[in-house]
Amino acid sequence: MAAASREVPPPPPSRLRSIAAWFYRHPNWTLVALLAVPMAWMLVVYVGSLSALLAQSFFRLDDFSGRIIREFGLSTYQQLFSAANVDIVVRTTVMAALVTVTCALIAFPLAYYMARYASFRMKTILYLAVLLPLWSSYLVRVYTWKIILAQEGIVTWVFETLGLKGVLDSILDIPGIGGSSLSFSYIGMFLVFVYIWLPYMILPINTALERVPKSLMEASADLGARPGYTFRRVILPLAFPGVVAGSIFTFSLTLGDYIIPGVIGNSSFFIGQVVYAQQGTAGNIPLAAAFTVVPVLIMIVYLTVARRLGAFDAL
Amino acid sequence: MRSSDHASFGLKISAGAALIFLHFPIFIVVLYAFTTEESSFRFPPPGLTLDWIGALFERADFWRALGLSIQTAAIATFLALILGTLIALALARASFFGRDQISLLVILPIALPGIVSGIALRSAISILGIPFSTWTIILGHATFCIVTVYNNVVARLRRTSQTQMEASMDLGASSFQTFRYIVLPNIATALLAVGMLSFALSFDEVIVTTFTAGQQQTLPIWIYSQLLRPRDRPVTNVAALFVVAVTFIPIIFAHYMTREAHE
């Protein structure tokens, strides 16, 4: 390393040096010194904010005056458990689960190809190909799907050109998931969610697969396993933490998104939209706060399980 | 039989299909930036024109939003680089009580849905009576950029050989000197790369920003407000293309920086 061979100035007997020496002799205080500022930031800014939010959820909105009453109580949670609100939670969670599973199914072959078969050069290209959509603007990508799925857009055009307009129409007629056009339907929303979060699934799976030692596959083959068997019994279990790591993102991001259901989708609400509407126009911050407690609880359970499954190492 | 060295046809097809799925919308963004159609998303476009590029250049609100985005992303990245690197230095090799809790705390802002972070920050800011400003936007952005910095720097520190640092100390360098002459050069490319990624992340953030911004519009918020206005569609299309083009450059550069160090 060029950097290591650079000439280092001789140690002057300075104050800085004695401080350094003191920290060297006290590794625990070194940790404290390193962590004090960032941990203070995280605790004050982030944990503090989360606690403020949690506290808000126990307050309630006075229906007559529209003011927030700062008294500890559970009436907001009572409101949260109304049938309509439970519906919203279930709808959002089911969507998040479907999106996560679909992302995993689409991501795995690509991640596997990247990790296993691609040449070094090809790997670089594929890696960039996954990163570019991930880092290019989220809103622009949602917007472009609005263009693609619009009634007069490219999907309709393709179906028409192929003479399959009837197929598209009958898909859109399916009650519950259809709509006036793909850009106002659950199907469209599902597609966009899968598209937007897909890179978050590909990368951790790829990381996990990259770590599977080649010798393990060879050993499995030497012991007489067919490739399919090696895949199921050796590769898949080792890649699984990567899938779980990816699912943290796809699941959590779907739970909290209010833009995709707002831009693509019909009028039925998702958790994110309720939170946004309740804290904004409705001014019911306690209910908005109570709603956010739902995804937080879901994610805490999810993260606890994910950590047991070793997903944090694949992040 | 040795495990085969060639991907099966089915695997190639599904990998290729996923790639096309990932990139097809970006072609659509490019195409629609030049359409002559003003109000609908008609495909195929009736004609192509460069007029909308000029129209975008005349929009002062667009440039203001762009300026604010660059400013907040730069400051948030700077703060996140310092805080994230400090955590990475502390956690890279040490094992101590509470280490897992700290790493969980750092991951939390990206593991929890953005809207949770957004509304939490908003409640805290309004409870404390702090006026919403550029700084409240930066506060939120820096918080979720810390984890990106931490993840990347910690990975690089773990790949840096411990022997170099020990040698430096053995030769009489103080820990500050070791940091300055050994650790910093070793993590420099990682810092540069992750700096660019945090910049892109902050530049693009919309959900948390919606909650922590007052009247100011960052670029994503500007785009969001445009989405709801069909009259301005052609300008929105060009802005979309512009944003995609601008974000591509740092990513390719960042990737180049980190790849060099892998070998």
Side-chain angles (χ1 to χ4, degrees), chain A residues 147 153-154, chain B residues 27-35 41-43 45 237:
Chain A
I147 297 178
I154 187 167
Chain B
F27 288 107
I28 296 293
V29 172
V30 178
L31 178 66
Y32 274 74
F34 302 106
T35 181
F41 295 130
R42 189 144 63 99
F43 187 89
N237 293 340

Side-chain angles (χ1 to χ4, degrees), chain B residues 49-141:
Chain B
T49 172
L50 293 171
D51 289 356
W52 310 122
I53 297 176
L56 182 70
F57 270 89
E58 285 162 18
R59 291 286 294 265
D61 53 344
F62 170 79
W63 295 105
R64 252 200 316 277
L66 178 67
L68 179 65
S69 277
I70 292 174
Q71 189 196 348
T72 48
I75 301 174
T77 300
F78 176 74
L79 290 172
L81 276 177
I82 294 174
L83 298 174
T85 306
L86 285 172
I87 304 176
L89 286 170
L91 299 195
R93 300 199 193 250
S95 59
F96 55 91
F97 177 76
R99 188 182 179 285
D100 282 359
Q101 283 69 23
I102 291 177
S103 67
L104 186 68
L105 177 62
V106 175
I107 292 172
L108 215 54
I110 55 159
L112 290 182
I115 196 153
V116 175
S117 311
I119 193 174
L121 286 166
R122 187 181 185 85
S123 327
I125 291 166
S126 51
I127 285 174
L128 296 175
I130 302 167
F132 289 98
S133 68
T134 310
W135 288 103
T136 50
I137 302 178
I138 291 169
L139 199 73
H141 286 198

Side-chain angles (χ1 to χ4, degrees), chain B residues 15-237:
Chain B
L19 273 180
I20 292 171
F21 180 54
L22 279 175
H23 287 268
F24 159 72
I26 294 170
F27 288 107
I28 296 293
V29 172
V30 178
L31 178 66
Y32 274 74
F34 302 106
T35 181
T36 47
E37 174 67 64
E38 283 189 43
S39 55
S40 84
F41 295 130
R42 189 144 63 99
F43 187 89
L48 300 172
T49 172
L50 293 171
D51 289 356
W52 310 122
I53 297 176
L56 182 70
F57 270 89
E58 285 162 18
R59 291 286 294 265
D61 53 344
F62 170 79
W63 295 105
R64 252 200 316 277
L66 178 67
L68 179 65
S69 277
I70 292 174
Q71 189 196 348
T72 48
I75 301 174
T77 300
F78 176 74
L79 290 172
L81 276 177
I82 294 174
L83 298 174
T85 306
L86 285 172
I87 304 176
L89 286 170
L91 299 195
R93 300 199 193 250
S95 59
F96 55 91
F97 177 76
R99 188 182 179 285
D100 282 359
Q101 283 69 23
I102 291 177
S103 67
L104 186 68
L105 177 62
V106 175
I107 292 172
L108 215 54
I110 55 159
L112 290 182
I115 196 153
V116 175
S117 311
I119 193 174
L121 286 166
R122 187 181 185 85
S123 327
I125 291 166
S126 51
I127 285 174
L128 296 175
I130 302 167
F132 289 98
S133 68
T134 310
W135 288 103
T136 50
I137 302 178
I138 291 169
L139 199 73
H141 286 198
T143 305
F144 62 75
C145 284
I146 289 175
V147 57
T148 317
V149 173
Y150 163 75
N151 271 342
N152 283 272
V153 175
V154 94
R156 175 65 64 86
L157 283 171
R158 284 185 184 141
R159 280 203 303 271
T160 307
S161 78
Q162 184 83 19
T163 49
Q164 273 188 55
M165 290 173 231
E166 281 163 5
S168 162
M169 303 290 255
D170 285 347
L171 292 169
S174 75
S175 34
F176 294 127
Q177 283 171 319
T178 305
F179 177 76
R180 168 72 185 80
Y181 293 102
I182 306 295
V183 180
L184 205 54
N186 267 308
I187 62 170
T189 49
L191 285 178
L192 192 61
V194 79
M196 270 180 277
L197 293 184
S198 313
F199 188 91
L201 198 66
S202 160
F203 192 77
D204 189 36
E205 204 333 294
V206 58
I207 292 189
V208 174
T209 318
T210 311
F211 289 94
T212 54
Q215 295 303 314
Q216 321 91 311
Q217 282 193 324
T218 60
L219 195 55
I221 293 185
W222 182 86
I223 292 176
Y224 189 59
S225 70
Q226 290 295 302
L227 293 191
L228 312 170
R229 274 187 246 164
R231 201 169 53 83
D232 287 337
R233 253 174 213 169
V235 176
T236 314
N237 293 340

Side-chain angles (χ1 to χ4, degrees), chain A residues 160-204:
Chain A
E160 265 169 7
T161 313
L162 295 173
L164 296 169
K165 189 75 172 43
V167 177
L168 182 64
D169 287 339
S170 53
I171 292 171
L172 286 172
D173 280 342
I174 301 171
I177 61 170
S180 61
S181 80
L182 277 175
S183 61
F184 290 105
S185 69
Y186 277 140
I187 305 170
M189 195 197 302
F190 169 75
L191 258 175
V192 179
F193 270 132
V194 169
Y195 169 77
I196 299 282
W197 309 139
L198 186 58
Y200 288 95
M201 187 62 99
I202 297 172
L203 294 175

Side-chain angles (χ1 to χ4, degrees), chain A residues 80-315:
Chain A
L80 180 68
F81 283 107
S82 73
N85 289 342
V86 170
D87 248 16
I88 292 167
V89 171
V90 171
R91 182 184 304 132
T92 312
T93 315
V94 168
M95 177 63 91
L98 285 175
V99 168
T100 299
V101 171
T102 312
C103 277
L105 290 177
I106 299 177
F108 203 93
L110 180 56
Y112 188 60
Y113 183 84
M114 278 167 79
R116 184 80 204 284
Y117 298 105
S119 63
F120 182 76
R121 204 184 134 69
M122 193 61 188
K123 246 178 220 177
T124 309
I125 294 169
L126 288 176
Y127 194 69
L128 268 181
V130 176
L131 272 186
L132 282 175
L134 175 65
W135 292 104
S136 59
S137 170
Y138 156 86
L139 263 179
V140 168
R141 287 181 299 143
V142 175
Y143 176 60
T144 182
W145 277 96
K146 189 82 184 165
I147 297 178
I148 292 167
L149 298 174
Q151 194 139 33
E152 69 280 5
I154 187 167
V155 174
T156 313
W157 179 81
V158 168
F159 274 93
E160 265 169 7
T161 313
L162 295 173
L164 296 169
K165 189 75 172 43
V167 177
L168 182 64
D169 287 339
S170 53
I171 292 171
L172 286 172
D173 280 342
I174 301 171
I177 61 170
S180 61
S181 80
L182 277 175
S183 61
F184 290 105
S185 69
Y186 277 140
I187 305 170
M189 195 197 302
F190 169 75
L191 258 175
V192 179
F193 270 132
V194 169
Y195 169 77
I196 299 282
W197 309 139
L198 186 58
Y200 288 95
M201 187 62 99
I202 297 172
L203 294 175
I205 297 181
N206 180 52
T207 308
L209 284 169
E210 291 271 4
R211 285 184 196 159
V212 178
K214 216 169 176 126
S215 55
L216 226 55
M217 291 180 233
E218 281 162 9
S220 171
D222 287 345
L223 291 169
R226 291 164 156 282
Y229 191 79
T230 305
F231 179 79
R232 275 198 312 279
R233 299 298 297 270
V234 180
I235 298 171
L236 212 51
L238 289 170
F240 192 67
V243 178
V244 179
S247 76
I248 294 174
F249 295 110
T250 57
F251 194 78
S252 163
L253 290 166
T254 313
L255 277 186
D257 196 282
Y258 68 91
I259 288 176
I260 293 172
V263 175
I264 318 270
N266 50 26
S267 52
S268 35
F269 262 26
F270 276 64
I271 292 178
Q273 288 170 291
V274 186
V275 173
Y276 185 70
Q278 289 298 339
Q279 68 84 31
T281 44
N284 192 346
I285 294 179
L287 186 59
F291 253 106
T292 58
V293 172
V294 177
V296 172
L297 287 180
I298 294 175
M299 285 319 294
I300 286 173
V301 173
Y302 208 115
L303 287 174
T304 314
V305 175
R307 201 165 71 162
R308 293 251 168 87
L309 295 171
F312 283 15
D313 298 327
L315 276 175

